């Protein structure tokens, strides 16, 4: 057992937080509701490790749900943030860092202009507004199990926390708003075709995760993303590729670089987040100039933000993006490959049914023997087995996403020592899963 200290202080803090914050957390999955137990309260993080207030060290395979690609508290990122902080925390006025970060994104992704926002939720919400403004249409198509943040229209059959807690659609979403979202199964072009046929000239956009990672990792079938692009254009609609999670995680050009870069098709609008903010609240959406110039003050689509383009966020994001190269993605791939092989071996040893899916350097292990290609197959998982597995990994000092519908991330700081610790924890976690 790696955990030497019981989660006493964490439990006290969780109890206090529950009096003040709904469920004790500011984002639902953090409450450990679907895996049980007390969430460790984190005091600090360094490299590949999280440290809780009770004195335990964990190898972190969540990496703040994606942004931490270099490892926690990376010196170059910290230096950039400290320098920026010393100059003032927010100006509410243009500053050089905004265009510098925009230039770094435009250099890597097939977008001509980007606007910076504070969260992935804002990015997707705003991209949809641009698509509606551009087409004069209201409806959008989204895929069951995909998560694009928590704006009203995007919560129908959403992945991530909504999937974790089996919430098919959130309370509080106006029926009229929900009616404009058409939900279809992932990896099913015929369903998309049927949606266009049923709503002629009404659909503004298809929004899709470039590769879904919020119902576990799902790989788009061959030609699926291009098929979406072609269908959207055939029907006068736009394709929004949500790369909030996948962007800059597996290749410099996001998942699009792995999937579409060589085939000559480009989504109309992209959304980014996580890695481009390096752990600070920063996200972006972008596309062709003619679409992005629909935004105020150039055009009639309104979008704004007090803290948008915050100088700490742009400094952190730029410092991180400057350190990403193909060699780093190669290293992340090797680390993920080692973990996936060890996971497979440990679970096979205990005859625990499982399927491992990968999106570049991101991976997830489903406790099912089914091939997982969409939300319906993702939901065949034995979530009890996952919860037992999760608890045992945590007890041994490995911090996994506390949900069977989330993915694992590695960072460049995950060295042999950290990976060895994960590998050593797997056999007893597999035994716990087998018993569940
Ligand atoms: C693909 C995708 N889009 C959008 C979001 C929402 O981002 P945020 O949590 O920053 O609002 C997420 C968050 O996980 C995501 O994975």
């Amino acid at each position: 057992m790696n955990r030497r200290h019981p989660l006493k202080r964490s439990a006290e803090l969780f109890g206090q937080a529950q009096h003040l914050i709904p469920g004790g957390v500011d984002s639902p999955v953090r409450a450990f509701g679907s895996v049980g137990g007390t969430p460790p309260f984190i005091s600090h993080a360094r490299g590949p490790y999280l440290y809780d207030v009770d004195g335990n060290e964990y190898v972190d395979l969540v990496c703040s749900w994606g942004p931490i690609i270099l490892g926690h508290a990376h010196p170059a990122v910290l230096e950039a943030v400290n320098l920026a902080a010393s100059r003032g925390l927010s100006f509410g006025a243009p500053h050089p860092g905004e265009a510098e970060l925009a230039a770094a994104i435009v250099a890597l992704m097939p977008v001509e202009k980007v606007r910076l926002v504070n969260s992935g939720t804002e990015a997707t919400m705003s991209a949809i507004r641009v698509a509606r403004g551009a087409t004069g249409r209201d409806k959008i198509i989204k895929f069951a199990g995909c998560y694009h943040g928590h704006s009203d229209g995007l919560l129908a059959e959403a992945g991530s926390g909504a999937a974790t807690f089996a919430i098919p659609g959130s309370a509080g979403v106006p029926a009229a708003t929900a009616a404009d979202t058409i939900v279809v199964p992932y990896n099913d072009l015929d369903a998309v075709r049927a949606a266009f046929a049923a709503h002629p000239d009404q659909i503004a956009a298809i929004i899709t995760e470039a590769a879904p990672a919020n119902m576990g990792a799902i790989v788009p079938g061959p030609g699926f993303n291009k098929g979406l692009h072609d269908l959207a254009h055939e029907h006068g609609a736009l394709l929004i590729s949500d790369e909030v999670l996948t962007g800059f995680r597996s290749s410099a050009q996001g998942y699009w670089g792995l999937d579409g870069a060589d085939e000559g098709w480009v989504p109309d609008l992209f959304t980014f987040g996580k890695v481009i903010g390096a752990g600070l609240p920063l996200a972006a959406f972008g596309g062709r100039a003619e679409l992005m110039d629909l935004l105020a003050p150039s055009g009639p689509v309104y979008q704004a933000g007090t803290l948008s383009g915050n100088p700490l966020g742009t400094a952190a994001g730029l410092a991180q993006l400057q350190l990403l190269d193909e060699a780093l993605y190669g290293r992340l791939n090797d680390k993920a490959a080692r973990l996936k092989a060890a996971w497979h071996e440990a679970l096979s040893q205990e005859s625990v049914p499982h399927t491992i899916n990968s999106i570049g350097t991101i991976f997830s292990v489903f406790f099912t023997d089914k091939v997982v290609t969409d939300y319906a197959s993702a939901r065949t998982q034995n979530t009890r087995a996952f919860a037992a597995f999760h608890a045992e990994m945590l007890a041994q000092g490995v911090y996994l996403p506390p949900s069977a519908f989330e993915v694992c991330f590695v960072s460049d700081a995950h060295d042999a020592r950290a990976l060895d610790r994960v590998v050593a924890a797997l056999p007893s976690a597999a035994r716990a899963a087998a018993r569940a």
Side-chain angles (χ1 to χ4, degrees), residues 29 32-36 61-62 65 160 163-165 215-217 343 347 352-355 363-368 378-395 398-408 426 428-436:
V29 178
F32 272 45
S34 71
V35 291
L61 293 184
V62 177
W65 307 97
S160 190
T164 307
F165 297 109
M215 44 181 149
W343 230 281
L347 292 173
V352 177
H354 64 281
T355 295
F363 66 97
S364 66
V365 182
F366 298 92
F367 286 87
T368 177
R379 281 160 70 188
T380 63
Q381 293 180 81
N382 178 348
T383 49
R384 261 199 354 269
F386 173 78
F389 183 86
H390 181 276
E392 182 59 22
M393 291 297 274
L394 192 73
V398 180
Y399 192 88
L400 298 180
S403 162
F405 293 92
E406 303 283 2
V407 292
C408 291
L426 288 167
S428 67
R431 283 195 291 281
R435 285 194 301 270

Side-chain angles (χ1 to χ4, degrees), residues 27 65 118-122 124 147-150 160 209-211 213-214 242-246 271 273-274 282-283 406:
S27 197
W65 307 97
N118 302 291
S119 68
T121 296
E122 270 185 73
T124 56
Y147 181 69
H148 305 287
H150 64 92
S160 190
E209 289 187 57
N214 284 289
D242 180 357
E243 293 238 23
V244 165
L245 192 145
T246 47
T271 56
K274 299 189 190 263
L282 187 140
E406 303 283 2

Side-chain angles (χ1 to χ4, degrees), residues 78-96:
L78 287 190
E79 193 188 324
V81 172
N82 287 335
L83 180 63
S86 73
R87 293 173 172 159
L89 299 185
S90 178
F91 311 133
H95 67 92

